[in-house]
Amino acid sequence: VQLQASGGGLVQPGGSLRLSCAASGFNLRYYAIGWFRQAPGKQREGVSCVSSSDDGSTYLVDSVKGRFTVSRDNDKNTVYLQMNNLKPEDTAVYYCATDGVAGSTCPPPGQYRYWGQGTLVTVSS
C-alpha cells in the first residue's frame, strides 16, 4: 500500500491549488482517504476525508468549508483536494492517508495506518 501526495507549491492569498493523492498497490476506490496538514510548530490536523466509493460521503473541517473540496477519480486511482481562496493559515505540509480497511467510511484520525509523503503548501504574498 503506497500513497503519494503531490501538487503543493507557493501561491498567493486567494489563489488555488489542487493536491493529488495517487495510490499504488491497491485500488483506491474501496478505501477511505483522508487529508491532513501540519503547520510549523503545530499539531497535525485532519482537513478532509472521502469515504470508500460504496459510501461516498465526504468530510471537511470547518475552517476549510466553502473553500476546499475533496473528490476521487477511480479511473486514475487518485483522490484530489481542490483548495480555493487559500489563506496564509493554510500554509502547511499536507498528507494523504488511509486506514487500509476496504469499504470503510471516514475513520477517526487515530485509525489511519498508511501515509503518503507530504507536499508543502505555502500561501504567501
Side-chain angles (χ1 to χ4, degrees), residues 33-116:
I33 302 295
W35 285 98
F36 295 78
R37 65 186 179 186
Q38 187 164 20
K42 295 187 177 181
Q43 288 189 329
R44 188 170 60 198
E45 173 190 31
V47 176
S48 180
C49 177
V50 57
S51 294
S52 66
S53 294
D54 289 345
D55 180 276
S57 58
T58 60
Y59 162 81
L60 291 167
V61 70
D62 286 347
S63 61
V64 306
K65 286 180 179 178
R67 301 188 297 121
F68 291 12
T69 57
V70 61
S71 62
R72 61 168 71 239
D73 184 333
N74 291 331
D75 290 340
K76 294 183 178 180
N77 215 26
T78 301
V79 167
Y80 300 102
L81 183 67
Q82 177 67 44
M83 306 186 296
N84 298 327
N85 191 21
L86 282 160
K87 303 176 180 181
E89 52 263 42
D90 295 317
T91 294
V93 178
Y94 284 71
Y95 302 87
C96 59
T98 182
D99 63 351
V101 177
S104 66
T105 56
C106 292
Q111 293 186 9
Y112 286 86
R113 296 176 57 197
Y114 303 98
W115 294 79

Side-chain angles (χ1 to χ4, degrees), residues 14-39:
S16 298
L17 283 174
R18 187 177 76 164
L19 304 185
S20 300
C21 178
S24 60
F26 70 105
N27 194 329
L28 187 146
R29 72 173 64 209
Y30 299 118
Y31 298 89
I33 302 295
W35 285 98
F36 295 78
R37 65 186 179 186
Q38 187 164 20

